Amino acid sequence: MKKIIMIALGAGLFLSACSKDFLELDSSRFISKDDIDRITETSPHLSIATLNGLYAYNVKQGAGGTTRHDDFGQKGYDIYTDMLTGDMNLNSAIYGWYRDLANLTATSNYANLTNYGPWRFYYYMIRGTNNVIDATGGNTIVPEDNTEKVVIAQAKALRAYMYYNLMNLYTKGYDANEKILPIYTEPVLVNMPAKTTQEVFDLMIKDLTESISLFEGAGATSGSNVNLSVAKGFLAYVYAAKGSNDALVKAKELTEDVMRSYTLATKEQLLGGFNSVSSNPNWIWSADLGVENNLDLVSWWGQVDIFTYSYASVGDTKGMPKELYDAIPDTDVRKAQFSNKDITDSKGDIDNFGESAYLPVGKFYDPKRIFQGQRLITTDYVFMRVEEMYLLNAEVSARLGQDGQAIDALTKLMEIRRTDISYLAGLGGQALKDEIMLQTRIELWGEGKVYAAFKRNKGSVTYGSNHLFFANQTFRYDDPRVTLLVPQAEILNNPVYNK
């Protein structure tokens, strides 16, 4: 796969995400909309360059408009959501990054940049997708050219994905009439008021349905970035969040489509480091990173991997709750993905990060396995893999009361991970739903997926006994402390937000 490189044309189309600077059309720093219109007439490749810029921005340091070392695109907010569920412990706060999130003070102060970064990032990305769509003909156009169809398909899928993440982070769940997010579908200089949940869901479903149709119309079933399966996965998540019976049926059908297109990871791959696109055919969407991306200590790997030179390697580790680790039987291969023992690197050096820090040293690691060995990031990012479709399929089947089909999907996943799966056959009702959630938490630890499951299932979470701030405390999905606040910048600079 191609390395994702920040392309100047694509990067130049991005505008910031709050107030006038978010909506600004002309600037000495950026290509203006009029420039786009003129260039597109003679250079149809501009929209492709813009799209490549979006993918590059998705992994960029400072993508949330700050200089903070927790600001590096989507993977940064995957850490946010995993911490809010309590499944990713901040084991130490020596350097302060994530302290305000882990102690839940950020979520009570709308001026805290923890609230601003994701909002700015996702609306920045939405602005970019709007530019791509506009440059390729607009929201209602179905191009005859297959390349342009695929470009619009990717842009619409990405736009929906950004709204989906905003919805998860800034709302407590599906409330059709609650006004939650401004909607922007055109690159125009107008502030928009917050729209209802129903309107946001209608846009996401429309964008993703059209994206799937465009991919299929172009005969494009695969690709290294957002592709047909990714769009189907996004739509399945949106329907699962909506939660009505007909939406759950559609989510089940979509996950089945994706499950047929990819193979599950082997036991060896589950312990292979989750660090390479080429060695993980179960990955559906990922970022193939290289030195061109210029990522170093300010990165997901820097914050999570002790073999990368950054915060985790010097003590600010992120690990699993003790109780979640204890819930993994020794016969489950995923037990070896985590450890609270002395860790030996490939040179024989030994380090002890603390008995209460259950670190992902067998799941996420630089393949050289040298303490602080990776300086420039070349290990890859995973955004979606097929295993999550099996878990989502099991979840929505159980929510539909189709326990047998839920068990079938879960069995296919679990028979690779452990030999003692006979207990699954005896599960049903709430016990089955609880088991699916448990396996979702174990399987997708560190991947930013559990928070959405927590909210769409209206669940509760109990932080682990080794949590730095809230040991053994339970939080409901609608507790305001586990949902971000609309940031101060939006409230102050968008005068029509509450109109």
Side-chain angles (χ1 to χ4, degrees):
M1 294 183 182
K2 292 190 302 181
K3 296 289 181 185
I4 298 179
I5 303 172
M6 178 61 75
I7 298 175
L9 280 173
L13 299 177
F14 300 129
L15 306 175
S16 70
C18 291
S19 74
K20 283 184 67 177
D21 60 346
F22 157 44
L23 298 164
E24 183 182 3
L25 293 179
D26 295 288
S27 165
S28 61
R29 292 178 57 215
F30 302 108
I31 298 174
S32 73
K33 181 178 182 299
D34 288 341
D35 293 333
I36 296 171
D37 293 339
R38 287 193 299 271
I39 296 170
T40 303
E41 293 177 2
T42 56
S43 179
H45 301 295
L46 178 63
S47 58
I48 298 175
T50 308
L51 191 61
N52 286 337
L54 279 170
Y55 288 121
Y57 201 80
N58 193 42
V59 302
K60 183 179 181 294
Q61 177 182 341
T66 78
T67 58
R68 291 162 54 119
H69 288 193
D70 59 355
D71 181 357
F72 40 85
Q74 178 59 48
K75 296 303 291 184
Y77 306 125
D78 286 349
I79 292 177
Y80 276 27
T81 58
D82 274 358
M83 283 194 173
L84 287 171
T85 66
D87 278 356
M88 180 180 279
N89 285 349
L90 178 64
N91 294 318
S92 173
I94 300 169
Y95 294 91
W97 304 116
Y98 304 102
R99 181 193 289 118
D100 290 351
L101 184 71
N103 67 19
L104 302 181
T105 58
T107 51
S108 61
N109 176 12
Y110 81 147
N112 190 293
L113 287 177
T114 297
N115 300 290
Y116 171 75
W119 186 275
R120 195 259 194 185
F121 169 71
Y122 290 121
Y123 274 112
Y124 207 81
M125 292 287 284
I126 288 166
R127 171 67 181 176
T129 61
N130 287 339
N131 277 327
V132 171
I133 293 166
D134 188 77
T136 318
N139 285 292
T140 62
I141 297 298
V142 178
E144 293 185 7
D145 180 79
N146 284 339
T147 299
E148 291 185 353
K149 284 180 183 175
V150 171
V151 168
I152 295 182
Q154 291 180 71
K156 287 190 173 182
L158 281 169
R159 182 167 68 183
Y161 176 65
M162 300 307 150
Y163 279 113
Y164 171 76
N165 283 291
L166 284 164
M167 178 273 299
N168 279 319
L169 274 167
Y170 293 92
T171 76
K172 297 180 179 67
Y174 186 84
D175 179 349
N177 297 316
E178 181 187 8
K179 290 187 175 181
I180 55 171
L181 303 171
I183 291 176
Y184 299 94
T185 59
E186 304 280 352
V188 293
L189 186 58
V190 178
N191 280 308
M192 296 298 293
K195 299 297 185 181
T196 65
T197 302
Q198 183 63 56
E199 291 173 289
V200 175
F201 270 76
D202 286 347
L203 173 63
M204 292 189 292
I205 291 169
K206 181 176 185 291
D207 270 354
L208 290 166
T209 301
E210 291 176 356
S211 173
I212 290 167
S213 178
L214 287 163
F215 276 125
E216 291 175 339
T221 58
S222 62
S224 60
N225 292 313
V226 169
N227 56 39
L228 176 61
S229 291
V230 175
K232 288 181 176 181
F234 289 166
L235 186 53
Y237 277 125
V238 170
Y239 278 134
K242 186 174 182 180
S244 61
N245 193 79
D246 62 327
L248 294 177
V249 170
K250 291 175 180 176
K252 184 170 180 289
E253 293 170 349
L254 287 160
T255 54
E256 288 168 351
D257 285 348
V258 180
M259 288 156 61
R260 284 190 287 266
S261 301
Y262 290 83
T263 58
L264 288 163
T266 64
K267 287 184 178 181
E268 292 73 23
Q269 288 164 343
L270 290 170
L271 297 177
F274 284 58
N275 51 36
S276 172
V277 172
S278 61
S279 60
N280 289 282
N282 58 312
W283 288 10
I284 304 174
W285 178 31
S286 55
D288 189 0
L289 299 179
V291 294
E292 303 92 339
N293 296 96
N294 198 33
L295 294 177
D296 47 33
L297 60 88
V298 184
S299 63
W300 184 92
W301 285 98
Q303 290 288 2
V304 176
D305 175 34
I306 62 171
F307 301 106
T308 296
Y309 177 75
S310 190
Y311 295 100
S313 71
V314 293
D316 278 7
T317 57
K318 289 81 183 170
M320 180 177 270
K322 178 183 185 301
E323 287 71 20
L324 186 56
Y325 178 81
D326 288 344
I328 309 173
D330 293 340
T331 56
D332 190 323
V333 67
R334 295 171 300 178
K335 190 84 166 184
Q337 291 180 335
F338 302 89
S339 176
N340 69 329
K341 309 297 183 184
D342 288 351
I343 298 164
T344 304
D345 73 2
S346 60
K347 297 193 300 182
D349 294 332
I350 298 174
D351 209 333
N352 184 350
F353 291 89
E355 292 184 0
S356 65
Y358 295 82
L359 305 185
V361 292
K363 181 175 184 180
F364 298 113
Y365 56 84
D366 174 54
K368 294 185 293 293
R369 293 186 70 87
I370 299 171
F371 293 133
Q372 300 187 341
Q374 179 172 223
R375 299 297 179 108
L376 283 176
I377 305 301
T378 56
T379 43
D380 299 332
Y381 284 163
V382 56
F383 297 114
M384 182 184 289
R385 57 188 178 98
V386 73
E387 285 78 9
E388 62 195 78
M389 293 293 107
Y390 278 81
L391 288 161
L392 183 59
N393 181 273
E395 176 197 311
V396 296
S397 295
R399 290 167 67 185
L400 286 165
Q402 300 171 357
D403 289 359
Q405 294 178 47
I407 291 170
D408 285 345
L410 193 57
T411 297
K412 290 174 183 175
L413 184 84
M414 294 299 295
E415 64 187 3
I416 298 173
R417 284 145 183 78
R418 51 190 284 190
T419 55
D420 53 333
I421 59 170
S422 58
Y423 75 99
L424 293 174
L427 296 177
Q430 189 58 48
L432 176 58
K433 293 175 184 177
D434 291 345
E435 179 66 18
I436 294 166
M437 178 59 79
L438 173 62
Q439 296 307 326
T440 299
R441 294 173 62 202
I442 295 169
E443 181 69 26
L444 300 177
W445 187 95
E447 298 178 54
K449 306 295 181 179
V450 174
Y451 185 73
F454 162 54
K455 285 194 169 181
R456 66 177 176 258
N457 287 285
K458 296 180 170 54
S460 296
V461 292
T462 299
Y463 286 13
S465 59
N466 56 334
H467 195 276
L468 193 58
F469 300 105
F470 294 102
N472 302 312
Q473 294 193 38
T474 299
F475 299 86
R476 277 174 49 92
Y477 76 97
D478 55 357
D479 189 313
R481 290 173 293 179
V482 296
T483 295
L484 297 190
L485 294 170
V486 176
Q488 181 184 48
E490 178 70 18
I491 301 301
L492 294 180
N493 296 319
N494 182 353
V496 300
Y497 176 81
N498 287 312
K499 294 295 180 66

